[in-house]
Amino acid sequence: MSSKPITKLEEVRNSHNVVAAVRDAEAARDAIESLERNGVDGSRIALLGSIDSSAGTPRLRGAIGRVGRLFLAGFVLGAIVGATAGWLSGIGGSAAPLLWGLFGALGGAFVVAVSSFGVSRAWWRTFEGENAGTLAVGVHTDDPDEADVAARVLEATSPLSINQF
């Protein structure tokens, strides 16, 4: 088993850094999602640690499943909103709810699909290969306020340890 670094700290280090050690890839995904939900720019988030370089194909089933569920949710929610708007507007006669529902479903699915691509590269990397030990989620920024937010968010995810430097 040959392991290689996912990302080297030297490649991402900035003037303000917060790094939290987490137990596995699932905990790393949770931490990354939490950071993004709380306004930390995904381009400033890095996954640190190592993966088994002989593992070959990335394990993307979980990522594809998440994006698929989001796509379906956007489709359904868009259909409901569109049908309601069509019914309330009455434009287009009796076919309005159906047409507006279809338009809303396509619009909702498109919005969710496009927004899913905003997930940070660090999140996608949690699906690569097999983990060769503990992982770390890092936020590297020039903004001290963003670093403080990242530290609070990461602390709330119950990491194994957290360092700010």
Side-chain angles (χ1 to χ4, degrees), residues 3-163:
S3 64
K4 66 176 183 174
I6 299 168
T7 305
K8 295 180 181 176
L9 183 59
E10 297 79 35
E11 296 171 356
V12 293
R13 185 187 302 259
N14 215 316
S15 54
H16 299 279
N17 303 276
V18 181
V19 178
V22 295
R23 67 187 178 287
D24 56 21
E26 185 177 341
R29 279 190 289 277
D30 291 344
I32 293 166
E33 289 172 0
S34 185
L35 286 165
E36 290 178 336
R37 275 194 310 270
N38 285 280
V40 176
D41 186 339
S43 67
R44 295 186 181 101
I45 302 171
L47 182 66
L48 305 164
S50 61
I51 58 171
D52 177 3
S53 60
S54 64
T57 309
R59 300 171 297 141
L60 295 176
R61 186 181 320 162
I64 292 169
R66 176 181 184 255
V67 172
R69 286 189 301 277
L70 289 172
F71 182 85
L72 181 61
F75 188 86
V76 170
L77 185 60
I80 292 168
V81 170
T84 302
W87 178 72
L88 291 173
S89 71
I91 299 172
S94 62
L98 180 62
L99 294 174
W100 279 91
L102 179 61
F103 177 73
L106 295 175
F110 176 77
V111 167
V112 170
V114 168
S115 68
S116 295
F117 294 117
V119 175
S120 70
R121 185 168 43 176
W123 186 86
W124 287 101
R125 285 184 170 172
T126 64
F127 293 97
E128 292 178 358
E130 294 295 326
N131 298 329
T134 303
L135 295 172
V137 174
V139 175
H140 313 282
T141 181
D142 286 325
D143 183 359
D145 294 333
E146 186 174 38
D148 290 340
V149 168
R152 283 193 304 274
V153 170
L154 288 171
E155 189 65 44
T157 65
S158 301
L160 301 173
S161 67
I162 189 165
N163 291 304

